[in-house]
Amino acid sequence: MKSLPYILLIGISTLVACSGNQQTTFPRYADFPETKVLKAQVADLDTILLRYPFRVAVRNGIAVVMDLHNMDHFLHAFTYPGWRHLTSFGKRGEGPMEMLSADNIQFNSLDSLWAIDANKMEITRWKISPATGSAERVEEIKLDKKLVRSLDFHTMESGFFIPDYMGEFRYWQVDDNGKPVKSIGEIPSETIDENTVRPALAQAWRSFMDYNPDNGILAMATQLGEVFEIFNLKENTHKVLYGPEGEPQYKAAKDGSGVPTGIMGFSDIKVTNKYIYAVFQGIRFEDKITAIKQGKEPENGAKYIYVFDLEGNPVRRYELDLRINSIDINEETNTIVATEAKSDDPILEFKI
């Protein structure tokens, strides 16, 4: 299994540094009341299929793994919990029924597995049949040109939530035809000023999102730095929380581009009926650079899962014995399914 230390830094080289006086505008969390160590159980499955599994989602006795670098298909369906391979789909290619990239998935039901392809600016829906061991592509939605290189999304009651990647807003509400209908919020930077380059700011603040329609909570967590946000859509409230590492950091390079400094932050976020789970790395870029200079492979992946209540209060921190990229949470069985950042056994389970 090949690792990819900078897989999350899509487009980061185009950043331009922002400037401004440091101010403390938003509340901070400093620590968690409880820390619990979790030990991984390795799932027994055919890893020959998988090159770099990045996302995993489990519904209705099926697990779907999104593989960033498979040579043939981006998506793989397995039985769960048996992990028997059913089918691979989302064929890599430039054809009308193929995908140029897989950037995230949303698994709602057996007839509603969604995938976003940023390179094609397209969201597709698949129907999975355990009986026949097949996946049928049943819908494709072209995204409007305003939604520049959409890397994440979440289904909503009618359409999708998609982050804004131009820096003018925080996210969009998009209809079933891929057309933006409403822009919401703004990037909650404490250093923003009139000289800030908005697209650069947006790339630095690239965030992962999740939404729970049952309680109306939409949560976002930054890829760099340590910031997460809670939008309560039922109560029309918005809360921003900074962690100890603060907002995403970057600086200007000689060629006018920007390079990330500070830390790699969150790599996934999940909203359940009770809690918000955020997968946190905390790896410093200077440590990555030092390891590379020493001829070592730099650390990659998250060693922690932070748990907050729906108001954003810290509840618990899980410390993992292996580094991961993403999670799926089942609070009824107290199980976390995760993709490991680098391993020949890339699918893990943790009991909480």
Side-chain angles (χ1 to χ4, degrees):
M1 185 67 55
K2 296 182 179 179
S3 65
L4 189 58
Y6 303 110
I7 191 62
L8 294 180
L9 299 183
I10 300 171
I12 204 75
S13 62
T14 63
L15 294 177
V16 179
C18 61
S19 61
N21 296 325
Q22 181 67 39
Q23 300 179 15
T24 299
T25 303
F26 302 107
R28 265 67 175 164
Y29 62 86
D31 206 351
F32 291 80
E34 177 187 8
T35 295
K36 183 177 180 180
V37 177
L38 300 182
K39 294 190 177 298
Q41 299 176 359
V42 175
D44 183 16
L45 77 165
D46 182 7
T47 57
I48 296 175
L49 289 167
L50 306 177
R51 292 286 300 276
Y52 195 86
F54 188 60
R55 292 288 189 234
V56 60
V58 181
R59 297 288 183 278
N60 305 118
I62 299 295
V64 174
V65 178
M66 189 186 87
D67 189 349
L68 291 178
H69 294 290
N70 188 276
M71 296 300 294
D72 299 312
H73 298 88
F74 287 109
L75 306 170
H76 309 273
F78 300 85
T79 61
Y80 182 83
W83 291 102
R84 177 176 60 85
H85 178 249
L86 284 176
T87 185
S88 295
F89 58 106
K91 183 175 176 59
R92 177 188 289 270
E94 299 182 6
M97 299 293 287
E98 298 173 336
M99 299 177 68
L100 289 175
S101 68
D103 299 278
N104 214 334
I105 57 174
Q106 181 66 40
F107 194 6
N108 296 334
S109 63
L110 291 180
D111 64 354
S112 185
L113 184 283
W114 298 89
I116 189 167
D117 182 339
N119 289 340
K120 271 194 170 182
M121 293 187 66
E122 184 176 82
I123 295 176
T124 56
R125 180 170 67 90
W126 302 79
K127 179 179 180 180
I128 300 172
S129 174
T132 61
S134 63
E136 177 188 0
R137 180 170 168 148
V138 295
E139 186 177 359
E140 58 186 44
I141 298 169
K142 295 291 186 180
L143 297 176
D144 190 272
K145 291 182 179 179
K146 286 184 180 180
L147 305 169
V148 177
R149 191 165 173 75
S150 299
L151 297 166
D152 201 4
F153 77 116
H154 201 289
T155 57
M156 56 179 287
E157 288 80 355
S158 178
F160 309 93
F161 296 117
I162 295 181
D164 173 52
Y165 293 95
M166 293 303 292
E168 297 298 328
F169 315 106
R170 198 64 182 109
Y171 68 93
W172 292 90
Q173 288 184 7
V174 179
D175 67 19
D176 292 330
N177 297 313
K179 304 295 184 183
V181 296
K182 184 179 181 181
S183 58
I184 293 93
E186 60 184 19
I187 292 174
S189 170
E190 293 181 335
T191 62
I192 195 170
D193 61 23
E194 66 275 6
N195 297 316
T196 300
V197 179
R198 290 288 177 162
L201 180 73
Q203 291 181 47
W205 277 77
R206 180 193 171 185
S207 298
F208 301 102
M209 66 162 42
D210 194 44
Y211 172 61
N212 187 330
D214 292 335
N215 52 32
I217 299 295
L218 172 68
M220 302 179 73
T222 58
Q223 169 193 20
L224 304 178
E226 191 175 354
V227 182
F228 87 99
E229 299 167 70
I230 302 171
F231 296 84
N232 188 322
L233 303 187
K234 289 187 176 181
E235 298 179 1
N236 196 28
T237 61
H238 175 216
K239 181 175 291 187
V240 180
L241 293 169
Y242 273 48
E245 296 295 335
E247 69 178 84
Q249 300 295 314
Y250 56 103
K251 65 180 181 180
K254 291 182 179 180
D255 62 0
S257 64
V259 293
T261 59
I263 66 163
M264 288 293 295
F266 298 99
S267 62
D268 201 5
I269 189 166
K270 291 291 182 288
V271 181
T272 68
N273 289 337
K274 297 179 181 179
Y275 300 112
I276 300 170
Y277 296 78
V279 179
F280 184 71
Q281 296 192 46
I283 300 173
R284 297 194 173 278
F285 281 99
E286 61 184 10
D287 293 337
K288 284 179 173 284
I289 294 171
T290 299
I292 292 171
K293 288 180 177 179
Q294 295 175 349
K296 300 177 182 178
E297 187 173 354
E299 286 187 307
N300 182 38
K303 197 174 181 179
Y304 302 98
I305 300 174
Y306 291 171
V307 185
F308 303 88
D309 67 19
L310 300 181
E311 298 295 324
N313 300 304
V315 174
R316 186 178 302 110
R317 175 175 57 197
Y318 292 120
E319 182 175 339
L320 313 178
D321 61 340
L322 296 173
R323 290 189 177 272
I324 66 171
N325 285 321
S326 71
I327 58 173
D328 187 273
I329 304 285
N330 188 326
E331 289 180 327
E332 293 183 0
T333 62
N334 293 322
T335 303
I336 297 175
V337 179
T339 57
E340 190 177 359
K342 51 179 181 178
S343 174
D344 290 331
D345 298 306
I347 306 299
L348 308 173
E349 292 189 2
F350 299 91
K351 287 295 183 180
I352 58 177

